[in-house]
């Protein structure tokens, strides 16, 4: 099972134009028909360490997507990325093998 990371939305400042402020991401783990999702946001570095939309121009769509995921993981840090992925694996396992189920009484 592999966690699929993707960036859904890029928030960029209007002054200075194109400065990337926030990235909204999804991390999804699917095992057969069972999946778990983690949604989050990361703030990008200050203007002193400007990350610009122009950094993505000319990369091609797939390369730009991969670069955005790299930015997300870089901001989260290796430990938090590992925690998110382990949490998704635990969610999938709990969904596939529940320890509690809901039962409804017949009317």
């Amino acid at each position: 099972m592999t966690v699929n990371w993707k960036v859904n939305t890029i928030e960029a400042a209007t002054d200075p134009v194109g400065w990337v402020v926030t990235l909204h991401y999804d991390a999804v783990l699917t095992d057969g028909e069972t999946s778990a999702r983690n949604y989050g946001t990361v703030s990008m570095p200050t203007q002193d360490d400007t990350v610009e939309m122009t950094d993505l121009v000319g990369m091609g769509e797939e390369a730009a997507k991969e670069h955005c995921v790299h930015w997300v993981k870089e901001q989260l840090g290796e430990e938090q990325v590992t925690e998110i992925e382990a949490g998704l694996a635990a969610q999938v396992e709990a969904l596939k093998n529940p320890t509690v189920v809901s039962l409804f009484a017949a009317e």
Side-chain angles (χ1 to χ4, degrees):
M1 295 183 298
T2 302
V3 176
N4 180 26
W5 290 81
K6 70 177 182 174
V7 172
N8 301 316
T9 305
I10 300 170
E11 292 180 28
T14 56
D15 186 24
V17 175
W19 172 49
V20 177
V21 178
T22 306
L23 297 171
H24 298 252
Y25 68 87
D26 271 323
V28 178
L29 179 62
T30 302
D31 183 9
E33 294 187 22
T34 306
S35 64
R37 173 182 176 248
N38 178 287
Y39 165 82
T41 61
V42 294
S43 297
M44 295 304 290
T46 64
Q47 269 182 277
D48 296 337
D49 301 316
T50 303
V51 175
E52 298 183 16
M53 291 293 293
T54 55
D55 294 344
L56 302 174
V57 176
M59 285 186 179
E61 186 176 346
E62 286 306 310
K65 287 178 182 179
E66 288 176 19
H67 197 71
C68 286
V69 168
H70 169 76
W71 282 342
V72 166
K73 289 182 174 182
E74 186 175 67
Q75 292 307 305
L76 290 172
E78 186 177 331
E79 186 175 323
Q80 192 168 359
V81 168
T82 300
E83 287 175 10
I84 289 169
E85 292 183 350
L88 291 170
Q91 287 177 45
V92 166
E93 183 62 28
L95 289 167
K96 292 177 82 170
N97 301 296
T99 57
V100 176
V101 296
S102 297
L103 304 172
F104 297 96
E107 290 187 28

